[in-house]
Amino acid sequence: HALAKNIAEQLGKKSRNLTFKGVGEALRYKDIYLAKLNSDCFTLEKFIEGKFQKYLNNTGEVCVSSDDVITQKAECVSSFSYEISNLQLLVVDI
């Protein structure tokens, strides 16, 4: 999660000077925390109101119309992750 968040932030910084009609702000990840209780590890994150929607599955396949703005942002993060990692990493399951 932290790596995907960092990649999305880097993309956001690179795209600040670009203007895209109707796209708005870059995709952002919320903070999560790793916790350990006895021998169990788990993550904690703030509850987000609303309906859950997946945009890209584990293979990178689009789950919502490609015309959807958030889907396009998710695809940008995924593509950017591949480029910035020198073709070693692909962020999916967004």
Side-chain angles (χ1 to χ4, degrees), residues 8-45:
E9 287 172 357
Q10 288 183 58
L11 177 59
K13 287 177 185 174
K14 284 186 171 282
S15 65
R16 278 195 188 120
N17 298 328
L18 305 174
T19 302
F20 302 101
K21 289 185 178 183
V23 174
E25 205 174 299
L27 187 72
R28 292 180 294 137
Y29 282 73
K30 300 285 186 183
D31 288 331
I32 65 168
Y33 305 93
L34 178 63
K36 186 173 182 179
L37 180 62
N38 300 319
S39 61
D40 296 325
C41 292
F42 52 93
T43 58
L44 299 170
E45 57 189 292

Side-chain angles (χ1 to χ4, degrees), residues 1-87:
H1 178 85
L3 183 56
K5 180 180 178 182
N6 181 279
I7 289 169
E9 287 172 357
Q10 288 183 58
L11 177 59
K13 287 177 185 174
K14 284 186 171 282
S15 65
R16 278 195 188 120
N17 298 328
L18 305 174
T19 302
F20 302 101
K21 289 185 178 183
V23 174
E25 205 174 299
L27 187 72
R28 292 180 294 137
Y29 282 73
K30 300 285 186 183
D31 288 331
I32 65 168
Y33 305 93
L34 178 63
K36 186 173 182 179
L37 180 62
N38 300 319
S39 61
D40 296 325
C41 292
F42 52 93
T43 58
L44 299 170
E45 57 189 292
K46 185 176 181 181
F47 181 76
I48 301 172
E49 295 284 340
K51 180 184 168 201
F52 172 79
Q53 177 63 59
K54 185 180 278 204
Y55 294 92
L56 297 177
N57 68 15
N58 288 332
T59 66
E61 184 178 349
V62 174
C63 300
V64 179
S65 170
S66 290
D67 294 333
D68 180 81
V69 172
I70 298 174
T71 300
Q72 293 170 6
K73 291 179 182 187
E75 289 180 293
C76 284
V77 169
S78 184
S79 177
F80 185 71
S81 71
Y82 194 60
E83 289 180 34
I84 200 167
S85 69
N86 294 317
L87 315 182

